[in-house]
Amino acid sequence: MNYWQSLVFGVAAVMVTAAADVTKLTLKVEGMTPTGCSSPPAIRGTTMNFPGVRDAHVSLELGEMTLEYEADQLDLEKLISRVERACQVRITRPPAR
């Protein structure tokens, strides 16, 4: 592949990535601690290992986690279950509007 072909391929790849449907969701997290397996860094680390998760912000002060993810690639129920087990916390969704 020459320089121009790789440049065009790179631009096409960026365009395809940007077209993904990204969802943002805030979840309540009960039982977090400042350190250890229930800490925000541990919860974020567990969350970021899932395919489809783009970013996760975890706040001990607010008791919540905000996820940015590709809805077609992430099994949200599986993520919640695994984070609850691994990090010993309880995660709840906000009420439906």
Side-chain angles (χ1 to χ4, degrees):
M1 185 178 303
N2 68 33
Y3 173 77
W4 293 109
Q5 288 173 325
S6 63
L7 181 62
V8 170
F9 178 77
V11 170
V14 169
M15 291 171 67
V16 169
T17 303
D21 181 29
V22 177
T23 302
K24 190 172 186 178
L25 176 66
T26 299
L27 303 165
K28 286 292 183 189
V29 183
E30 298 174 34
M32 275 194 282
T33 59
T35 59
C37 65
S38 300
S39 68
I43 293 169
R44 184 178 190 280
T46 302
T47 302
M48 292 301 294
N49 284 328
F50 271 79
V53 173
R54 291 242 178 130
D55 200 5
H57 298 281
V58 184
S59 171
L60 178 64
E61 294 79 19
L62 298 174
E64 63 185 31
M65 169 173 57
T66 302
L67 294 175
E68 290 182 26
Y69 62 95
E70 296 174 31
D72 61 338
Q73 292 185 19
L74 177 67
D75 182 342
L76 187 59
E77 296 307 318
K78 187 181 275 188
L79 178 139
I80 290 171
S81 177
R82 182 160 312 153
V83 171
E84 285 181 330
R85 279 194 325 272
C87 300
Q88 302 170 2
V89 294
R90 178 160 163 55
I91 298 175
T92 54
R93 291 180 186 227
R97 296 179 191 194

